[in-house]
Amino acid sequence: NMGSVCLPDIGRLLQRLAGKRYQTPYPVDEASRQGGEQPMERPARDLFIWCLLTQRKELAEFFWTLEKECVPAALLAALLLRQIRDFSDDISEKEELEEIAYDFESKAEGVLNACAEDDQAKSQANLVRQLQHYGESTSLLLAAEGDSIRFISHKICHQLLDNAWMGSLSEKKNGSLK
């Protein structure tokens, strides 16, 4: 019954699709359902997520261009679309969802390329920065959860992971990398 869908329902769906590490920005408890309207802090992000969940590619791409944090938005899109793909029985729909997920992953990679050309250190720091509006996750975790292999294989991600492996990252600065 689509008439009774509310933010807690969307919150629970996002939590299920995005995984345990992703803390949904929407309420998930029934008490919130009775609480009335909830203001939209980031309307572009909220509309972007709605477009992804309803598989409206063109609108999702439009709202992605309006989102302030476009890399995590694109990585979240890839993650959600790949999870939705796994629920489908239709082979052509699965292929289409994977293609759209790949497009969003490519968008994230393109932005990372542009950022890396400007400042590699800031680009690495942004990969492990906790994102309040993306479930307190990081771009690197969203990429890992969403099987965004091309993004993770980017040289900036490799340098970051090499630094972490060799112990040259400060845990104070990059506690979210744990």
Side-chain angles (χ1 to χ4, degrees):
N1 182 0
M2 292 303 288
S4 64
V5 174
C6 60
L7 285 178
D9 298 324
I10 294 170
R12 284 189 295 277
L13 176 62
L14 276 175
Q15 195 73 56
R16 182 173 178 208
L17 292 174
K20 295 176 186 174
R21 292 187 188 138
Y22 182 84
Q23 296 173 9
T24 177
Y26 307 111
V28 294
D29 58 342
E30 287 302 316
S32 302
R33 181 180 220 131
Q34 310 305 329
E37 294 182 21
Q38 179 177 340
M40 298 174 98
E41 291 180 37
R42 303 275 292 266
R45 184 216 46 213
D46 295 330
L47 291 168
F48 174 67
I49 290 171
W50 172 79
C51 290
L52 294 170
L53 294 175
T54 57
Q55 299 178 28
R56 288 172 167 80
K57 179 187 178 194
E58 291 81 15
L59 272 175
E61 288 175 342
F62 171 73
F63 287 116
W64 177 78
T65 64
L66 301 177
E67 177 49 32
K68 293 176 184 175
E69 297 175 303
C70 57
V71 171
L75 293 171
L76 178 66
L79 174 113
L80 292 175
L81 291 166
R82 287 182 175 128
Q83 290 295 322
I84 293 168
R85 172 200 66 197
D86 293 343
F87 287 105
S88 177
D89 292 330
D90 184 348
I91 292 173
S92 63
E93 182 182 29
K94 283 180 177 261
E95 289 173 354
E96 182 180 345
L97 288 169
E98 179 55 38
E99 182 181 314
I100 299 168
Y102 185 82
D103 288 346
F104 276 108
E105 182 181 347
S106 295
K107 290 177 189 313
E109 185 181 16
V111 174
L112 183 59
N113 278 332
C115 292
E117 287 177 13
D118 189 43
D119 190 334
Q120 290 188 3
K122 282 185 183 177
S123 298
Q124 287 180 4
N126 277 331
L127 288 174
V128 294
R129 180 176 55 91
Q130 283 191 305
L131 304 160
Q132 176 187 359
H133 297 288
Y134 286 89
E136 297 299 329
S137 190
T138 67
S139 292
L140 198 56
L141 281 174
L142 288 170
E145 289 287 326
D147 295 328
S148 295
I149 304 302
R150 279 192 45 217
F151 184 86
I152 292 172
S153 66
H154 191 281
K155 68 179 180 176
I156 293 298
C157 294
H158 272 252
Q159 289 170 354
L160 175 71
L161 295 171
D162 286 344
N163 289 342
W165 183 258
M166 298 300 179
S168 59
L169 285 179
S170 165
E171 201 171 294
K172 255 186 188 176
K173 286 183 180 178
N174 299 295
S176 58
L177 187 57
K178 292 186 229 174

